[in-house]
mmCIF file of all heavy atoms in Angstrom:
data_model
loop_
_atom_site.group_PDB
_atom_site.id
_atom_site.type_symbol
_atom_site.label_atom_id
_atom_site.label_comp_id
_atom_site.label_asym_id
_atom_site.label_seq_id
_atom_site.Cartn_x
_atom_site.Cartn_y
_atom_site.Cartn_z
ATOM 1 N N GLU A 173 0.880 24.572 21.032
ATOM 2 C CA GLU A 173 -0.346 25.083 21.661
ATOM 3 C C GLU A 173 -0.927 26.069 20.655
ATOM 4 O O GLU A 173 -0.372 27.155 20.460
ATOM 5 C CB GLU A 173 0.058 25.796 22.954
ATOM 6 C CG GLU A 173 -1.059 26.202 23.852
ATOM 7 C CD GLU A 173 -0.493 27.064 24.997
ATOM 8 O OE1 GLU A 173 0.426 26.609 25.686
ATOM 9 O OE2 GLU A 173 -0.979 28.196 25.154
ATOM 10 N N ILE A 174 -2.009 25.668 19.980
ATOM 11 C CA ILE A 174 -2.575 26.510 18.914
ATOM 12 C C ILE A 174 -3.819 27.224 19.455
ATOM 13 O O ILE A 174 -4.676 26.588 20.068
ATOM 14 C CB ILE A 174 -3.015 25.648 17.707
ATOM 15 C CG1 ILE A 174 -1.877 24.770 17.218
ATOM 16 C CG2 ILE A 174 -3.617 26.491 16.610
ATOM 17 C CD1 ILE A 174 -1.073 25.306 16.097
ATOM 18 N N ALA A 175 -3.914 28.520 19.179
ATOM 19 C CA ALA A 175 -5.133 29.275 19.514
ATOM 20 C C ALA A 175 -5.630 29.931 18.236
ATOM 21 O O ALA A 175 -4.868 30.635 17.561
ATOM 22 C CB ALA A 175 -4.824 30.326 20.565
ATOM 23 N N ILE A 176 -6.891 29.673 17.902
ATOM 24 C CA ILE A 176 -7.447 30.186 16.640
ATOM 25 C C ILE A 176 -8.596 31.141 16.955
ATOM 26 O O ILE A 176 -9.571 30.751 17.606
ATOM 27 C CB ILE A 176 -7.934 29.029 15.749
ATOM 28 C CG1 ILE A 176 -6.756 28.109 15.404
ATOM 29 C CG2 ILE A 176 -8.602 29.565 14.480
ATOM 30 C CD1 ILE A 176 -7.125 26.905 14.551
ATOM 31 N N ALA A 177 -8.446 32.384 16.492
ATOM 32 C CA ALA A 177 -9.501 33.383 16.702
ATOM 33 C C ALA A 177 -10.190 33.676 15.376
ATOM 34 O O ALA A 177 -9.533 34.085 14.412
ATOM 35 C CB ALA A 177 -8.898 34.666 17.267
ATOM 36 N N SER A 178 -11.491 33.465 15.344
ATOM 37 C CA SER A 178 -12.284 33.712 14.128
ATOM 38 C C SER A 178 -13.611 34.332 14.535
ATOM 39 O O SER A 178 -14.111 34.060 15.633
ATOM 40 C CB SER A 178 -12.593 32.400 13.389
ATOM 41 O OG SER A 178 -11.445 31.620 13.234
ATOM 42 N N PRO A 179 -14.211 35.122 13.646
ATOM 43 C CA PRO A 179 -15.520 35.692 13.973
ATOM 44 C C PRO A 179 -16.613 34.630 13.887
ATOM 45 O O PRO A 179 -16.405 33.577 13.269
ATOM 46 C CB PRO A 179 -15.718 36.761 12.892
ATOM 47 C CG PRO A 179 -14.842 36.342 11.766
ATOM 48 C CD PRO A 179 -13.709 35.559 12.340
ATOM 49 N N PRO A 180 -17.779 34.906 14.501
ATOM 50 C CA PRO A 180 -18.881 33.949 14.417
ATOM 51 C C PRO A 180 -19.187 33.613 12.953
ATOM 52 O O PRO A 180 -19.194 34.496 12.091
ATOM 53 C CB PRO A 180 -20.062 34.707 15.050
ATOM 54 C CG PRO A 180 -19.438 35.784 15.881
ATOM 55 C CD PRO A 180 -18.117 36.118 15.251
ATOM 56 N N GLY A 181 -19.384 32.336 12.699
ATOM 57 C CA GLY A 181 -19.702 31.895 11.334
ATOM 58 C C GLY A 181 -18.477 31.510 10.526
ATOM 59 O O GLY A 181 -18.603 30.946 9.445
ATOM 60 N N TYR A 182 -17.286 31.837 11.035
ATOM 61 C CA TYR A 182 -16.056 31.535 10.284
ATOM 62 C C TYR A 182 -15.092 30.690 11.123
ATOM 63 O O TYR A 182 -13.904 30.628 10.852
ATOM 64 C CB TYR A 182 -15.374 32.845 9.837
ATOM 65 C CG TYR A 182 -16.242 33.596 8.855
ATOM 66 C CD1 TYR A 182 -17.205 34.498 9.294
ATOM 67 C CD2 TYR A 182 -16.149 33.349 7.487
ATOM 68 C CE1 TYR A 182 -18.036 35.163 8.408
ATOM 69 C CE2 TYR A 182 -16.977 34.009 6.589
ATOM 70 C CZ TYR A 182 -17.913 34.910 7.053
ATOM 71 O OH TYR A 182 -18.749 35.554 6.164
ATOM 72 N N SER A 183 -15.630 30.049 12.154
ATOM 73 C CA SER A 183 -14.811 29.265 13.065
ATOM 74 C C SER A 183 -14.690 27.822 12.572
ATOM 75 O O SER A 183 -15.540 27.333 11.820
ATOM 76 C CB SER A 183 -15.474 29.280 14.449
ATOM 77 O OG SER A 183 -14.905 28.309 15.271
ATOM 78 N N LEU A 184 -13.653 27.142 13.059
ATOM 79 C CA LEU A 184 -13.501 25.705 12.761
ATOM 80 C C LEU A 184 -14.384 24.846 13.669
ATOM 81 O O LEU A 184 -14.402 23.626 13.524
ATOM 82 C CB LEU A 184 -12.040 25.279 12.954
ATOM 83 C CG LEU A 184 -11.031 25.744 11.913
ATOM 84 C CD1 LEU A 184 -9.623 25.312 12.311
ATOM 85 C CD2 LEU A 184 -11.367 25.172 10.533
ATOM 86 N N GLU A 185 -15.082 25.480 14.579
ATOM 87 C CA GLU A 185 -15.952 24.768 15.519
ATOM 88 C C GLU A 185 -16.849 23.779 14.773
ATOM 89 O O GLU A 185 -17.537 24.156 13.814
ATOM 90 C CB GLU A 185 -16.837 25.799 16.241
ATOM 91 C CG GLU A 185 -17.731 25.203 17.287
ATOM 92 C CD GLU A 185 -17.297 25.632 18.686
ATOM 93 O OE1 GLU A 185 -16.996 26.814 18.866
ATOM 94 O OE2 GLU A 185 -17.267 24.750 19.555
ATOM 95 N N GLY A 186 -16.800 22.538 15.162
ATOM 96 C CA GLY A 186 -17.674 21.533 14.554
ATOM 97 C C GLY A 186 -17.092 20.885 13.315
ATOM 98 O O GLY A 186 -17.647 19.913 12.808
ATOM 99 N N SER A 187 -15.970 21.416 12.792
ATOM 100 C CA SER A 187 -15.416 20.808 11.577
ATOM 101 C C SER A 187 -13.934 20.488 11.733
ATOM 102 O O SER A 187 -13.241 20.279 10.752
ATOM 103 C CB SER A 187 -15.601 21.751 10.376
ATOM 104 O OG SER A 187 -14.748 22.870 10.497
ATOM 105 N N LEU A 188 -13.474 20.450 12.981
ATOM 106 C CA LEU A 188 -12.053 20.169 13.224
ATOM 107 C C LEU A 188 -11.912 18.827 13.930
ATOM 108 O O LEU A 188 -12.417 18.646 15.032
ATOM 109 C CB LEU A 188 -11.446 21.280 14.098
ATOM 110 C CG LEU A 188 -9.973 21.108 14.462
ATOM 111 C CD1 LEU A 188 -9.092 21.087 13.216
ATOM 112 C CD2 LEU A 188 -9.527 22.215 15.418
ATOM 113 N N GLU A 189 -11.245 17.903 13.265
ATOM 114 C CA GLU A 189 -10.986 16.588 13.875
ATOM 115 C C GLU A 189 -9.501 16.473 14.132
ATOM 116 O O GLU A 189 -8.701 16.481 13.194
ATOM 117 C CB GLU A 189 -11.380 15.473 12.907
ATOM 118 C CG GLU A 189 -12.824 15.075 13.005
ATOM 119 C CD GLU A 189 -13.152 13.979 12.003
ATOM 120 O OE1 GLU A 189 -12.387 13.002 11.931
ATOM 121 O OE2 GLU A 189 -14.150 14.151 11.292
ATOM 122 N N LEU A 190 -9.133 16.339 15.398
ATOM 123 C CA LEU A 190 -7.718 16.198 15.732
ATOM 124 C C LEU A 190 -7.376 14.722 15.873
ATOM 125 O O LEU A 190 -8.208 13.938 16.343
ATOM 126 C CB LEU A 190 -7.411 16.926 17.039
ATOM 127 C CG LEU A 190 -7.575 18.445 16.991
ATOM 128 C CD1 LEU A 190 -7.205 19.057 18.335
ATOM 129 C CD2 LEU A 190 -6.724 19.055 15.887
ATOM 130 N N PRO A 191 -6.164 14.341 15.482
ATOM 131 C CA PRO A 191 -5.773 12.937 15.636
ATOM 132 C C PRO A 191 -5.802 12.538 17.117
ATOM 133 O O PRO A 191 -5.447 13.342 17.981
ATOM 134 C CB PRO A 191 -4.343 12.899 15.099
ATOM 135 C CG PRO A 191 -4.141 14.169 14.367
ATOM 136 C CD PRO A 191 -5.112 15.159 14.894
ATOM 137 N N GLU A 192 -6.226 11.311 17.367
ATOM 138 C CA GLU A 192 -6.279 10.816 18.749
ATOM 139 C C GLU A 192 -4.877 10.835 19.361
ATOM 140 O O GLU A 192 -3.898 10.495 18.687
ATOM 141 C CB GLU A 192 -6.791 9.377 18.732
ATOM 142 C CG GLU A 192 -7.778 9.090 19.844
ATOM 143 C CD GLU A 192 -8.460 7.774 19.600
ATOM 144 O OE1 GLU A 192 -9.403 7.745 18.777
ATOM 145 O OE2 GLU A 192 -8.023 6.792 20.206
ATOM 146 N N GLY A 193 -4.786 11.260 20.602
ATOM 147 C CA GLY A 193 -3.496 11.236 21.296
ATOM 148 C C GLY A 193 -2.541 12.327 20.868
ATOM 149 O O GLY A 193 -1.344 12.249 21.169
ATOM 150 N N ALA A 194 -3.047 13.359 20.170
ATOM 151 C CA ALA A 194 -2.162 14.449 19.730
ATOM 152 C C ALA A 194 -1.493 15.097 20.945
ATOM 153 O O ALA A 194 -2.129 15.289 21.991
ATOM 154 C CB ALA A 194 -2.966 15.483 18.961
ATOM 155 N N ALA A 195 -0.212 15.436 20.796
ATOM 156 C CA ALA A 195 0.576 15.942 21.927
ATOM 157 C C ALA A 195 0.222 17.379 22.291
ATOM 158 O O ALA A 195 0.357 17.790 23.441
ATOM 159 C CB ALA A 195 2.059 15.854 21.577
ATOM 160 N N GLY A 196 -0.233 18.155 21.320
ATOM 161 C CA GLY A 196 -0.500 19.567 21.559
ATOM 162 C C GLY A 196 -1.971 19.832 21.819
ATOM 163 O O GLY A 196 -2.752 18.912 22.079
#
Side-chain angles (χ1 to χ4, degrees):
E173 189 188 305
I174 306 265
I176 299 179
S178 312
Y182 295 88
S183 167
L184 287 176
E185 183 111 44
S187 71
L188 179 61
E189 273 179 48
L190 295 182
E192 221 168 280

